[in-house]
Amino acid sequence: MAARTASTKTQAWKFFDRIVERASRGGSYSNPWHTTENSQVEYLPDFQTLSLLLGVPLYLSAPITTGVPALALDVWIAYELRRAGFSPDSVWPRDAAPRVLPGPVAALLESLPHHERRELTKRIVSGSPTGVAPSQALILGKNYRKQVDVVMSHWSTGPELLVSTKRMDSSFAKNAQNRIEEAYGDAKNLRLRHPMAGLGFLFGIRSTAFTDEPRSAEFIADLLMKLAQEEDAYNVTCMLPIEYSSDAAPAPTGPDAPVIHIVEDAPADDPKPLALFPESTENSGEAHVPERVMWQDSLAFGDDGQVDEVLADLPGVGIREDLVPPELRSGQFFDRLVRHVLAATPTTLHETARDRLKVAQYGS
């Protein structure tokens, strides 16, 4: 069967989906809520899964301009919201195509016989009928529509969670203020039309900012904390320092960049165990590629076994939350977002999310 060249984002989705599939154990998500020794309930993010997701754009040599590094954060946030107990079909991007799909439409698809579901899903993904499953979540604010990176919404409630993400790996002093100003304007626009929604802003920044440009890193942290102090802006913000093993930065793509091909309906082997702690790339400035899975025109990445070989040897990525104040760490980010939604809705909604929190608060 003829192969088609995949875009960088299409390649990334293949890996992202496999990582999330393994982490979610077929829909049996781990409970993120835990009780500390002093009886405090706290949200513990899944950093192992985040590390794998962040390793994908390094492996693909995908620069910021492709959108793949930021997409890794979007996928992780959506995964964490599902871990918290929110409906998988109400959280976008979904863990399967189409990535944006109203919950009732998803429920309809699930109720259909297999062959009808497959045919209707193909039509929806292809864009016919128009508007059922858009490629992006566009949310109307007070004055204009805004593409929001991670959304939780349903026809019966409207938007309940709106999370924006940004990635910055270089030129911190030059670009930081512009990114924060954009975020501030977007928050105002969304907040004025959706005052009850939980608004979050997560800023992924390369950890070298704290050594190479410490004053810029401190400036960004200060602005992010102030963003969450405005009543008509974000409920919570997060600064996520990302550390590459051996300082392996994404390399720009070009005409000589390696190409991946996908063969449709390729057979799947039995899945192999997924390495949750990828080995660091030693003494190298480039992302390491496993020898058996080097990019080549004849390689078909429709095989889950081949995908697992790549995932088992992704470039190592660490999260340095020790570099930022507690108010900007990811645990409190998800804690405040989840609690905001639960406090703003009746107890008959989001029952699974409420039960998960209660298990940590009061025991099973």
Side-chain angles (χ1 to χ4, degrees):
M1 181 178 292
R4 58 181 175 82
T5 302
S7 68
T8 304
K9 190 166 289 187
T10 299
Q11 297 171 36
W13 270 119
K14 183 68 177 179
F15 297 122
F16 290 157
D17 286 342
R18 189 65 170 164
I19 291 169
V20 170
E21 177 189 3
R22 290 301 188 88
S24 62
R25 298 174 296 180
S28 300
Y29 294 93
S30 60
N31 191 345
W33 298 104
H34 293 265
T35 305
T36 63
E37 294 182 356
N38 59 354
S39 299
Q40 297 295 314
V41 175
E42 63 180 10
Y43 190 107
L44 296 183
D46 183 352
F47 290 122
Q48 293 179 3
T49 296
L50 174 60
S51 177
L52 290 170
L53 292 169
L54 291 173
V56 170
L58 286 177
Y59 178 76
L60 296 175
S61 296
I64 294 291
T65 53
T66 65
V68 173
L71 181 60
L73 294 177
D74 302 344
V75 172
W76 179 61
I77 294 170
Y79 161 75
E80 288 290 346
L81 294 177
R82 292 190 289 269
R83 279 186 74 214
F86 293 120
S87 171
D89 289 323
S90 296
V91 176
W92 309 331
R94 299 169 71 247
D95 57 0
R99 304 301 170 178
V100 178
L101 186 70
V105 177
L108 170 64
L109 289 174
E110 287 296 321
S111 69
L112 296 175
H114 176 74
H115 68 282
E116 293 183 18
R117 179 168 66 249
R118 183 172 181 176
E119 289 303 314
L120 183 54
T121 300
K122 284 183 178 179
R123 291 190 61 185
I124 291 174
V125 172
S126 68
S128 176
T130 304
V132 174
S135 59
Q136 298 177 330
L138 294 174
I139 304 297
L140 180 63
K142 178 179 183 294
N143 296 312
Y144 56 89
R145 292 199 304 171
K146 172 68 174 67
Q147 186 266 319
V148 181
D149 301 300
V150 183
V151 176
M152 186 173 78
S153 185
H154 190 276
W155 287 344
S156 64
T157 62
E160 295 186 86
L161 274 178
L162 303 169
V163 180
S164 296
T165 60
K166 296 288 184 184
R167 276 288 301 266
M168 185 175 294
D169 281 13
S170 62
S171 304
F172 308 108
K174 179 180 178 181
N175 297 322
Q177 186 164 334
N178 290 338
R179 300 291 84 80
I180 300 298
E181 287 177 355
E182 292 169 2
Y184 188 77
D186 291 339
K188 292 274 188 177
N189 176 57
L190 293 170
R191 173 64 68 199
L192 289 172
R193 185 169 290 272
H194 307 286
M196 295 292 290
L199 264 64
F201 182 68
L202 188 145
F203 193 89
I205 186 170
R206 189 171 172 181
S207 62
T208 52
F210 296 85
T211 54
D212 297 348
E213 300 183 41
R215 291 178 64 87
S216 297
E218 182 180 10
F219 176 68
I220 294 170
D222 181 62
L223 287 179
L224 287 171
M225 285 190 288
K226 289 175 178 175
L227 266 182
Q229 295 171 359
E230 298 283 341
E231 292 184 1
D232 56 352
Y234 294 100
N235 297 97
V236 60
T237 53
C238 175
M239 187 175 187
L240 193 72
I242 300 168
E243 184 175 70
Y244 304 139
S245 64
S246 301
D247 199 26
T253 56
D256 298 326
V259 175
I260 181 175
H261 290 270
I262 294 176
V263 176
E264 297 181 1
D265 300 325
D269 293 337
D270 292 334
K272 301 178 181 179
L274 180 64
L276 293 178
F277 296 95
E279 298 179 0
S280 298
T281 305
E282 298 181 358
N283 303 321
S284 171
E286 300 178 353
H288 174 63
V289 181
E291 291 182 2
R292 292 183 58 201
V293 201
M294 292 292 291
W295 295 128
Q296 50 185 312
D297 290 346
S298 60
L299 183 61
F301 266 86
D303 189 320
D304 286 338
Q306 291 176 322
V307 170
D308 287 344
E309 288 186 38
V310 175
L311 298 183
D313 203 11
L314 285 174
V317 179
I319 306 301
R320 294 292 308 278
E321 290 205 310
D322 57 298
L323 298 174
V324 299
E327 306 97 297
L328 292 178
R329 294 175 184 172
S330 56
Q332 62 84 37
F333 178 80
F334 290 111
D335 184 302
R336 291 177 61 184
L337 280 179
V338 172
R339 290 179 189 268
H340 175 90
V341 172
L342 299 183
T345 53
T347 56
T348 52
L349 294 180
H350 309 304
E351 293 182 351
T352 301
R354 296 178 192 277
D355 290 343
R356 294 201 157 210
L357 178 55
K358 288 177 183 178
V359 167
Q361 291 174 324
Y362 311 115
S364 55

